[in-house]
Amino acid sequence: MERSKKIAVITGASSGMGREFARRIDEKYKGKLDEIWLIARRRERLEELASELGTHARAIPIDLSGSMGTDEYAALLEAEKPDVRVLVNAAGFGLFGRFEDIELDRQLAMVDLNAKALVAMTYHTLPYMCAGAEIFELGSLSAFQPVPLINVYAATKAFVLSFTRALNVELRKSGRGIRAMA
């Protein structure tokens, strides 16, 4: 039987925490991964990051803000059937301002990316993970209390925290040997 390619998947890899996770995972797993999948909207930034890493990295420009992006990712997993050792859900954004002053479409887009896409990415990835795999769901200190002027962002991060804690318990009780951390 052919050995599955061992990979790490990092969303939001074009900047910020996602980009930094890519660098750290490259260092930590040097020689233990066959490939790092870098996912974000901006191909140029992903390709630039891929060229900096020691592990072979693949730039995968996908917009995760709608179900088409997560469906595209699920199809890629199905086609390649990799052994996902690490999943980092770092894609997300926040908006600062009074709730009633921020356009509803922008706030709902934040919920879609920060919460819905994170759940979908985790759901699609879990069947390709085995013992020893790790899931990092990016939260925020704002997850621990209501925060005026970033209330929808804080609410999405509270969701991420609660979801991840519960998922970690489920995974531990299942005996699968996968750890989820917020």
Side-chain angles (χ1 to χ4, degrees):
M1 183 162 105
E2 189 175 319
R3 179 175 83 76
S4 292
K5 180 178 3 179
K6 289 186 166 94
I7 70 166
V9 176
I10 304 163
T11 71
S14 63
S15 64
M17 294 296 290
R19 188 175 188 89
E20 195 56 34
F21 259 98
R23 290 178 174 136
R24 298 297 167 235
I25 286 170
D26 181 45
E27 289 174 17
K28 179 180 177 183
Y29 289 89
K30 194 166 292 295
K32 297 177 184 172
L33 293 172
D34 298 307
E35 196 168 65
I36 298 175
W37 289 6
L38 305 171
I39 299 175
R41 293 172 296 146
R42 297 172 285 203
R43 176 184 295 277
E44 309 80 37
R45 288 191 182 186
L46 295 175
E47 289 173 349
E48 176 188 319
L49 175 60
S51 72
E52 297 172 9
L53 302 179
T55 304
H56 175 15
R58 184 169 169 183
I60 304 173
I62 297 177
D63 183 352
L64 297 175
S65 62
S67 62
M68 284 179 47
T70 57
D71 290 348
E72 184 179 341
Y73 171 71
L76 185 58
L77 286 172
E78 177 59 30
E80 301 209 8
K81 297 182 179 24
D83 175 4
V84 181
R85 306 307 302 149
V86 181
L87 169 63
V88 177
N89 275 312
F93 72 97
L95 298 170
F96 184 81
R98 288 171 26 97
F99 173 75
E100 61 191 309
D101 294 339
I102 300 171
E103 292 178 17
L104 178 60
D105 288 350
R106 294 291 294 144
Q107 295 193 64
L108 294 177
M110 189 174 14
V111 172
D112 286 347
L113 185 57
N114 295 4
K116 286 174 63 176
L118 178 137
V119 169
M121 292 296 291
T122 304
Y123 183 85
H124 291 313
T125 305
L126 267 172
Y128 299 92
M129 301 181 98
C130 59
E134 300 174 299
I135 301 170
F136 297 92
E137 311 281 31
L138 270 281
S140 168
L141 287 176
S142 63
F144 295 96
Q145 62 188 5
V147 186
L149 304 177
I150 58 168
N151 55 15
V152 173
Y153 172 81
T156 65
K157 295 306 180 175
F159 172 86
V160 170
L161 179 63
S162 183
F163 167 74
T164 307
R165 284 178 167 172
L167 177 63
N168 191 52
V169 170
E170 288 181 23
L171 291 170
R172 187 173 60 241
K173 288 184 176 186
S174 76
R176 291 195 55 200
I178 301 169
R179 184 172 174 213
M181 296 153 274

